[in-house]
């Protein structure tokens, strides 16, 4: 019967040591030869070889989208990681390859690697400071991380480089970031410069700035095609602020009939602002409605 313990492990290691060391040595030789081969390439040849990996990454995306009948943003994470691997191989060949840096940054952020994506965007923008799209994309990443000041600076830089890029969403993105940071006036300016299409966000900005009559007009326009109880509640707040008590009561009553965020907001306001005139109105709105006559 074979003995167990340290001696058995030692014998097992002796059996696998040579093949394992051979594999590691072979891998090292291959990597060394590969690095030597790359080092001998001209800058143009390196760029072309790196580009081929980018083409391969796009081919992986196209093939999987066709096979699965989905868009790129629906691809599973393992497919996107395979694409990222190709971009990483491209950057091993040519560390300053802009296409690979930009694409890897985008997909790294997409799969939830903001730190890696930020590193790539930083490197990309050091090398290509005129890339308006990259400034915009890094701005979005920074805004999502809560760094609103840096994000707004990136959006502003993007707009300085390319203020009228077709399909640009930079103004709307900067407006969102400004709203999150409490810069309601700046957000309103961006929304209006964008064309005034986002009427609801404009109304919210007006309300936050205390411009309640204008806010009511914005909510009125929105509610012509929506029955959102959340917007009814917001309109009620602005109606109350301009002295339209009856209109506010009607909006609050309709908004708070059923469980949901408006009713929860009303209860929170009442709890946190006892004795406030709007709390009294909300309490009236929350009273059970009389049953319909049968």
């Amino acid at each position: 019967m074979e003995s167990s313990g340290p001696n058995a492990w030692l014998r097992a290691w002796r059996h696998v040591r040579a093949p394992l060391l051979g594999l590691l040595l072979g891998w090292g030789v291959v990597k060394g030869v590969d690095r030597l081969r790359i080092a001998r390439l001209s800058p143009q040849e390196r760029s072309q070889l790196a580009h081929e990996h980018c083409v391969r990454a796009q081919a992986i995306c196209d093939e999987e989208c066709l096979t699965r009948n989905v868009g790129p943003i629906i691809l599973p994470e393992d497919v996107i990681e395979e694409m990222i691997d190709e971009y990483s191989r491209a950057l091993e060949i040519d560390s300053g390859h802009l296409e690979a840096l930009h694409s890897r940054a985008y997909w790294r952020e997409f799969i939830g690697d903001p730190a890696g994506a930020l590193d790539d965007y930083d490197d990309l923008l050091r090398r290509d400071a005129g890339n308006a799209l990259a400034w915009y994309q890094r701005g979005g990443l920074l805004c999502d991380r809560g760094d609103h000041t840096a994000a707004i600076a990136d959006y502003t830089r993007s707009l300085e480089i390319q203020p009228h890029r077709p399909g640009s969403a930079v103004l709307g993105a900067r407006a969102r970031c400004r709203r999150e940071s409490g810069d309601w006036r700046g957000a309103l300016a961006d929304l209006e410069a964008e064309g005034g299409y986002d009427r609801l966000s404009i109304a919210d900005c007006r309300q936050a700035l205390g411009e309640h009559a204008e806010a009511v007009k914005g909510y009125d326009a929105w509610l012509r095609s929506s029955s959102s109880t959340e917007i009814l509640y917001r309109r009620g707040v602005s109606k109350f602020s301009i002295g339209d008590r009856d209109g506010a009561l009607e909006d609050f009553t309709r908004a708070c009939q059923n469980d949901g965020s408006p009713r929860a907001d009303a209860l929170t306001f009442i709890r946190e602002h006892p004795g406030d005139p709007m709390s009294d109105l909300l309490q009236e709105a929350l009273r059970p409605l009389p049953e319909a006559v049968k």
Side-chain angles (χ1 to χ4, degrees), residues 17-260:
R17 179 177 59 186
L20 181 60
L21 291 176
L23 285 172
L24 290 172
L25 180 60
W27 179 82
V29 169
V30 169
K31 294 294 287 185
V33 170
D34 200 39
R35 283 195 295 269
L36 181 61
R37 179 177 65 86
I38 292 170
R40 290 176 174 174
L41 296 175
S42 69
Q44 293 78 12
E45 289 171 328
R46 286 187 193 179
S47 179
Q48 179 57 39
L49 187 57
H51 176 68
E52 290 174 8
H53 283 283
C54 294
V55 171
R56 174 56 187 153
Q58 187 59 52
I60 292 170
C61 179
D62 293 342
E63 290 166 9
E64 291 292 336
C65 286
L66 184 61
T67 300
R68 300 169 187 270
N69 193 28
V70 297
I73 62 172
I74 309 297
L75 288 174
E77 188 169 317
D78 62 324
V79 173
I80 295 174
E81 287 176 345
E82 188 179 354
M83 293 162 56
I84 289 173
D85 287 343
E86 289 296 331
Y87 294 125
S88 296
R89 293 187 188 102
L91 291 165
E92 288 172 4
I93 296 165
D94 181 0
S95 61
H97 198 272
L98 301 182
E99 179 186 3
L101 269 173
H102 200 163
S103 297
R104 189 173 72 173
Y106 175 83
W107 289 111
R108 275 180 161 177
E109 180 183 1
F110 189 83
I111 64 167
D113 179 15
L118 187 57
D119 286 343
D120 281 345
Y121 279 126
D122 289 347
D123 194 4
L124 173 64
L125 288 168
R126 279 193 295 268
R127 299 170 186 273
D128 185 17
N131 190 326
L133 179 58
W135 286 108
Y136 162 63
Q137 290 171 329
R138 192 178 73 169
L141 173 58
L142 291 169
C143 189
D144 289 341
R145 286 164 65 92
D147 191 349
H148 298 106
T149 300
I152 290 167
D154 276 6
Y155 289 137
T156 301
R157 181 67 180 131
S158 178
L159 288 165
E160 288 170 350
I161 295 167
Q162 202 170 51
H164 302 298
R165 180 168 60 85
S168 172
V170 185
L171 279 168
R174 190 173 67 176
R176 176 180 68 89
C177 198
R178 281 177 161 167
R179 287 182 63 187
E180 291 178 6
S181 67
D183 179 11
W184 297 99
R185 184 65 66 190
L188 180 59
D190 281 344
L191 291 165
E192 290 179 335
E194 187 186 30
Y197 307 114
D198 191 348
R199 295 178 298 175
L200 181 57
S201 293
I202 289 174
D204 287 341
C205 288
R206 296 287 189 192
Q207 184 177 78
L209 290 165
E211 300 171 2
H212 292 288
E214 292 300 315
V216 168
K217 292 178 183 177
Y219 293 136
D220 285 345
W222 184 266
L223 288 167
R224 291 190 193 106
S225 58
S226 169
S227 58
S228 168
T229 55
E230 294 180 7
I231 310 308
L232 273 171
Y233 184 88
R234 285 184 236 174
R235 187 175 69 176
V237 171
S238 282
K239 282 184 174 181
F240 180 81
S241 297
I242 61 175
D244 183 4
R245 190 182 186 282
D246 291 342
L249 178 59
E250 181 183 356
D251 280 352
F252 287 148
T253 302
R254 291 171 58 198
C256 300
Q257 282 184 32
N258 301 309
D259 290 336

Side-chain angles (χ1 to χ4, degrees), residues 2-18:
E2 294 187 11
S3 61
S4 58
N7 289 335
W9 283 108
L10 183 59
R11 283 195 299 273
W13 164 244
R14 286 171 179 165
H15 283 298
V16 302
R17 179 177 59 186

